[in-house]
Amino acid sequence: MQDTKIKKISGKTVFLCSVLGVVAVIIIAAVIVLTSVLGDVKGFGRNKNADTINIEIPKGSSVTSISSLLEENEVIKNGLYFKLYCRVNKLGSDFNYGSFNIKGNLSYKEIAEVLSGQTAFAETKTVVIPEGTGIYDYTKDVNHKDVTVPGIATLLSKAGVCTKEDFFEALDEVKLDSELLKNVNKQEAYCLLEGYLFPDTYEFYFYTAESYSYTSKECAKLAIEKMIKRTEECFTEEMKDKAENMGYSVNEILTMASIIQMESGNSNSEMANVAAVFYNRLNSPNFSSLGSSPTCYYGSFYKGDDDRYDTYKIHGLPPGPLCSPGIDAIKAALEPSKNFGYYYFVTDKNGKFYYHKSLAEQSATINRLQQEGNWIYEYFN
């Protein structure tokens, strides 16, 4: 009888110990979570170097979306904690939109104060960067008439976003360490970020607004970052895989896309055919060069140009893009028309494309168009 009683007590003891163990684990976990929450709320251990992080809050952003942006930009560790903090303390109704520079070790209270500060408020202007726009202006001779195409620097300057000088300074200061910008041809490209500033319609902060507290240089930096980010969004992982499977780098695809963009103009429907023509030339033993007219004059803007962009004089593609290609041109560079056995093309003044398999056919069409008064040519400077 005595032995049995001892066994029953031992069983109860084991059960009690198990319960206590579970309780202890729960308490420890709760302490860890509480410590994490309090640490983030107070800003402890979040950013030892107190680095300043720039974050852009779009107009009309909710506390939920702002909390997510803060977490994504590593201003805080957990967006949910910040959202709950704002709800408990009834914060957020006076948060402004605009560009904020926030130190990484600020407490939630200090972050809320920054977001509520009037100095961060900024108005925006709508700026359209057309497809095929270069960073610099370029001039083309269209049937003996000079037509100047304004570059991104000019468009931003005219819109009051920033001065040209500040734009170029900000451009030179961009770090080429992101996944996208690692593709830039640092050794040979004349303008490193040419082709990496995506053409689109943007809302940019501008330094001439009366209520604006940021400089022209800061506005330039924000505009450049937004255009690069747009390129990162548009050039998807699937596209990168496609480029690799084709045997081309991201930089080479953007370069080909820029040529397609300039050669096709506004004819998006012809871009896949134009792409096929240039790929046919690249892959043919009968062509020693790509032979694209816009590439002949791109380098002349730069002092000491050695014709490295002139595809009548070099073999293969230029070292970098000539302009900012749109998404249709990029897609055409990745998916040229199949079984399209043409090596030449020309357009008439109405924008109609004529494709040929031989130079003789090409020359005959050009002669006919000239006789009909339907010929157009372009030379770029």
Side-chain angles (χ1 to χ4, degrees):
M1 292 293 292
Q2 189 175 1
D3 293 338
T4 303
K5 187 176 181 180
I6 292 173
K7 288 181 180 179
K8 287 182 179 179
I9 294 173
S10 298
K12 290 179 179 178
T13 301
V14 171
F15 175 75
L16 182 59
C17 289
S18 299
V19 171
L20 291 174
V22 171
V23 171
V25 170
I26 293 174
I27 292 174
I28 292 171
V31 170
I32 292 173
V33 171
L34 184 60
T35 302
S36 175
V37 173
L38 291 176
D40 203 34
V41 170
K42 296 295 184 181
F44 297 149
R46 197 189 303 134
N47 191 326
K48 295 180 180 179
N49 297 322
D51 293 334
T52 297
I53 301 167
N54 179 267
I55 180 171
E56 188 176 328
I57 307 294
K59 187 175 182 178
S61 296
S62 64
V63 172
T64 299
S65 60
I66 291 174
S67 300
S68 297
L69 282 172
L70 291 172
E71 181 180 349
E72 289 170 9
N73 287 273
E74 299 182 350
V75 176
I76 59 176
K77 290 183 178 180
N78 194 301
L80 178 60
Y81 297 166
F82 184 78
K83 177 183 176 182
L84 294 174
Y85 177 86
C86 290
R87 181 176 297 177
V88 170
N89 292 278
K90 298 180 180 181
L91 300 172
S93 61
D94 61 345
F95 285 174
N96 288 319
Y97 66 90
S99 179
F100 298 85
N101 292 318
I102 305 175
K103 288 187 176 182
N105 62 351
L106 296 185
S107 67
Y108 282 6
K109 180 182 178 181
E110 291 169 324
I111 292 172
E113 289 173 351
V114 171
L115 296 176
S116 301
Q118 292 299 319
T119 55
F121 185 83
E123 293 293 340
T124 62
K125 278 190 177 181
T126 301
V127 182
V128 178
I129 308 297
E131 297 173 345
T133 303
I135 286 178
Y136 293 93
D137 299 349
Y138 65 85
T139 302
K140 56 183 179 180
D141 178 352
V142 182
N143 286 354
H144 303 295
K145 292 183 179 180
D146 286 345
V147 178
T148 299
V149 180
I152 295 174
T154 296
L155 292 175
L156 295 183
S157 176
K158 286 184 175 180
V161 173
C162 59
T163 65
K164 286 186 179 181
E165 293 77 14
D166 286 330
F167 174 77
F168 289 123
E169 282 187 22
L171 205 65
D172 289 338
E173 293 172 4
V174 174
K175 295 181 179 179
L176 306 177
D177 55 0
S178 68
E179 183 179 353
L180 173 70
L181 298 185
K182 285 179 180 178
N183 293 281
V184 170
N185 190 339
K186 303 178 185 68
Q187 286 72 40
E188 298 181 336
Y190 282 155
C191 186
L192 298 184
L193 291 179
E194 186 82 272
Y196 288 82
L197 307 181
F198 198 80
D200 207 342
T201 300
Y202 293 97
E203 291 293 323
F204 289 134
Y205 298 113
F206 60 101
Y207 77 104
T208 53
E210 292 180 2
S211 60
Y212 198 66
S213 61
Y214 291 95
T215 66
S216 166
K217 178 73 171 291
E218 289 170 327
C219 289
K221 182 175 180 291
L222 290 170
I224 292 168
E225 288 175 351
K226 182 173 283 191
M227 288 185 281
I228 292 173
K229 184 177 181 180
R230 189 77 182 101
T231 303
E232 292 172 339
E233 293 170 349
C234 291
F235 208 108
T236 64
E237 291 299 322
E238 182 180 353
M239 289 179 169
K240 294 173 186 176
D241 292 339
K242 177 68 174 177
E244 185 176 356
N245 291 335
M246 293 173 66
Y248 292 97
S249 67
V250 170
N251 186 69
E252 288 171 329
I253 291 297
L254 287 175
T255 300
M256 176 62 87
S258 73
I259 293 173
I260 295 168
Q261 184 75 63
M262 298 186 81
E263 291 277 13
S264 302
N266 296 323
S267 302
N268 292 349
S269 61
E270 296 291 339
M271 287 183 174
N273 291 339
V274 171
V277 168
F278 286 121
Y279 279 120
N280 289 343
R281 292 182 186 179
L282 282 177
N283 297 324
S284 172
N286 298 321
F287 284 81
S288 59
S289 64
L290 193 66
S292 170
S293 297
T295 66
C296 299
Y297 303 94
Y298 177 82
S300 61
F301 181 85
Y302 299 92
K303 294 181 180 179
D305 173 43
D306 57 6
D307 296 323
R308 67 182 67 179
Y309 281 83
D310 188 345
T311 57
Y312 281 92
K313 297 180 179 179
I314 64 170
H315 181 73
L317 290 166
L322 289 76
C323 68
S324 292
I327 191 63
D328 291 317
I330 295 173
K331 288 181 178 178
L334 291 167
E335 297 181 9
S337 296
K338 296 180 180 179
N339 303 317
F340 195 76
Y342 296 93
Y343 295 87
Y344 302 90
F345 69 90
V346 66
T347 59
D348 61 26
K349 66 180 182 181
N350 296 314
K352 182 179 178 180
F353 280 68
Y354 302 83
Y355 297 93
H356 309 96
K357 293 185 178 181
S358 69
L359 182 58
E361 293 175 352
Q362 173 92 339
S363 298
T365 297
I366 291 174
N367 289 333
R368 176 174 61 80
L369 292 175
Q370 288 175 331
Q371 293 173 5
E372 295 173 351
N374 197 21
W375 167 245
I376 188 171
Y377 68 86
E378 295 183 358
Y379 290 101
F380 295 81
N381 291 304

